[in-house]
Amino acid sequence: MRRNSHLAVIAGFALSAILFVAGGLLLWGSTYTHNMVHNQLAAQQIFFPPKAAFAHPQAGTEITPSMIPSVSQYAGQQLVTGQQAQSYADNFIAVHITNMTGGKTYAQLSSAALASPNDAKLAAEAATVFKGEALRSMLLNAFGWWKVSQITYIAALAAFGLGGLTLIASLFGLTVGRKDEITHEAIPSEGPKSTTA
């Protein structure tokens, strides 16, 4: 086997090993993040409204018509996944906050409450919106990490796939190199022909 071919095969095996190690680490990271998000969400004991609640949606009530395509698919389920967290945050909590405040943000309500310190109703509304936005923020954070676990899982599969291809290519290169060596050894080198008078 030529020196360059030999080095290429060694480099291929080394790259394959690195890709397999990277794939293993990415898979571990994905599993760890997935389990952490699941366990933290499960500990909160949040449940979607039961299926019966979605039978007659009305604007201004607990279940609005906008929740049917997004939230109703999880009816009665416990919130334990990132997708559920995103749906609950953006399509359930956010809708209730918007309906309650008429579209005002917590910052706007808080400023109004500070400007009117004797308005107990406004202060209570600002406190409720703060709690809702805090919960929504935590759920969206969980959703973000859930997405990270999915991306690292895909990256792990890609690393394993590339590692496998690199290994196969290196084995192929090793096999072809050995066949070339055997072929060159089998053909005797011709020396100068001797002529007899």
Side-chain angles (χ1 to χ4, degrees), residues 15 22 97 104 113 118 146 157 171 177 183:
L15 179 59
I97 290 173
K104 290 182 181 176
N118 296 327
W146 185 269
L157 293 181
L171 290 172
T183 304

Side-chain angles (χ1 to χ4, degrees), residues 139-159:
L139 291 174
L140 290 175
N141 186 49
F143 171 66
W145 282 107
W146 185 269
K147 275 294 180 193
V148 168
S149 77
Q150 290 178 325
I151 291 166
T152 52
Y153 179 75
I154 292 167
L157 293 181

